[in-house]
Coordinates of all heavy atoms in Angstrom, one line a residue:
L26 N 157.8 139.5 189.8 CA 158.1 140.6 188.9 C 159.7 140.6 188.7 O 160.2 140.6 187.6 CB 157.6 142.0 189.4 CG 158.1 143.1 188.5 CD1 157.3 143.2 187.2 CD2 158.0 144.4 189.2
L182 N 169.5 157.1 175.9 CA 169.3 156.0 174.9 C 170.5 156.0 174.0 O 170.9 157.1 173.6 CB 168.0 156.2 174.1 CG 166.7 156.0 174.8 CD1 165.6 156.4 173.9 CD2 166.6 154.5 175.2
E185 N 172.3 153.4 168.9 CA 171.9 152.2 168.4 C 170.4 152.0 168.6 O 169.6 151.7 167.7 CB 172.6 151.0 169.1 CG 172.6 149.7 168.4 CD 173.4 149.7 167.1 OE1 174.1 150.7 166.8 OE2 173.4 148.7 166.4
T228 N 143.1 137.3 166.4 CA 142.7 137.6 167.8 C 141.2 137.4 167.9 O 140.5 137.8 167.0 CB 143.1 139.0 168.2 OG1 142.6 140.0 167.3 CG2 144.6 139.2 168.3
S231 N 136.2 141.0 171.0 CA 135.9 141.3 172.4 C 134.6 140.5 172.9 O 134.6 139.9 173.9 CB 135.8 142.8 172.7 OG 135.0 143.3 171.7
F248 N 148.5 129.1 159.9 CA 149.6 130.0 159.7 C 150.9 129.4 160.2 O 152.0 129.5 159.6 CB 149.3 131.3 160.3 CG 150.4 132.3 160.2 CD1 150.7 132.9 159.0 CD2 151.1 132.7 161.3 CE1 151.7 133.8 158.8 CE2 152.2 133.6 161.2 CZ 152.5 134.2 159.9
V300 N 160.6 136.8 160.2 CA 159.9 136.5 158.9 C 158.7 137.4 158.7 O 157.9 137.5 159.7 CB 159.5 135.0 158.9 CG1 158.7 134.7 157.6 CG2 160.6 134.1 159.0
A335 N 125.7 129.5 111.1 CA 126.4 129.6 109.8 C 126.2 128.4 108.9 O 125.9 128.5 107.7 CB 127.9 129.9 110.0
N342 N 121.3 128.4 101.9 CA 121.7 129.0 100.7 C 121.8 128.0 99.6 O 121.4 128.3 98.4 CB 123.1 129.7 100.9 CG 123.0 131.1 101.5 OD1 121.9 131.6 101.5 ND2 124.0 131.6 102.1
H368 N 103.8 131.0 68.2 CA 104.1 130.7 66.8 C 102.9 129.9 66.2 O 102.4 130.1 65.1 CB 105.4 130.0 66.7 CG 105.8 129.7 65.3 ND1 106.2 130.7 64.4 CD2 105.8 128.6 64.5 CE1 106.5 130.2 63.2 NE2 106.3 128.9 63.3
R371 N 99.9 132.0 65.6 CA 100.0 133.0 64.6 C 99.7 132.4 63.2 O 99.1 133.0 62.3 CB 101.4 133.6 64.6 CG 101.4 134.8 65.6 CD 102.4 135.8 65.2 NE 103.7 135.2 65.1 CZ 104.8 135.9 64.9 NH1 104.7 137.2 64.7 NH2 106.0 135.4 64.7
S405 N 89.0 142.8 62.2 CA 89.6 143.7 63.3 C 89.9 142.9 64.6 O 90.9 143.1 65.2 CB 88.6 144.8 63.6 OG 87.6 144.4 64.4
L418 N 104.9 137.0 72.3 CA 106.1 136.5 71.7 C 107.3 137.4 72.0 O 108.4 136.9 72.3 CB 105.8 136.4 70.2 CG 106.9 135.7 69.4 CD1 107.0 134.2 69.9 CD2 106.6 135.7 67.9
V440 N 111.4 158.9 62.1 CA 110.6 157.9 62.7 C 109.2 158.4 63.1 O 108.3 157.7 62.9 CB 111.4 157.3 64.0 CG1 110.5 156.3 64.7 CG2 112.7 156.7 63.6
A446 N 101.9 157.6 60.7 CA 101.2 157.0 59.5 C 100.6 155.6 59.9 O 99.5 155.3 59.6 CB 102.2 156.9 58.4
L448 N 99.6 154.6 62.8 CA 98.4 154.7 63.7 C 97.4 155.7 63.1 O 96.5 156.1 63.8 CB 98.9 155.2 65.0 CG 99.7 154.1 65.8 CD1 100.2 154.7 67.1 CD2 98.9 152.9 66.1
I565 N 113.0 154.6 79.8 CA 111.8 155.3 79.6 C 111.4 156.0 81.0 O 111.4 155.3 82.0 CB 110.6 154.4 79.2 CG1 111.0 153.8 77.8 CG2 109.3 155.2 79.1 CD1 110.0 152.8 77.3
D584 N 124.8 156.7 70.2 CA 125.5 155.5 69.8 C 125.1 154.3 70.7 O 125.6 154.3 71.9 CB 127.0 155.7 69.8 CG 127.5 156.3 68.5 OD1 127.1 155.8 67.4 OD2 128.2 157.3 68.6

Side-chain angles (χ1 to χ4, degrees):
L26 175 77
L182 289 173
E185 197 72 1
T228 55
S231 49
F248 178 68
V300 175
N342 274 346
H368 185 72
R371 275 208 302 186
S405 80
L418 189 61
V440 174
L448 290 174
I565 297 174
D584 275 309

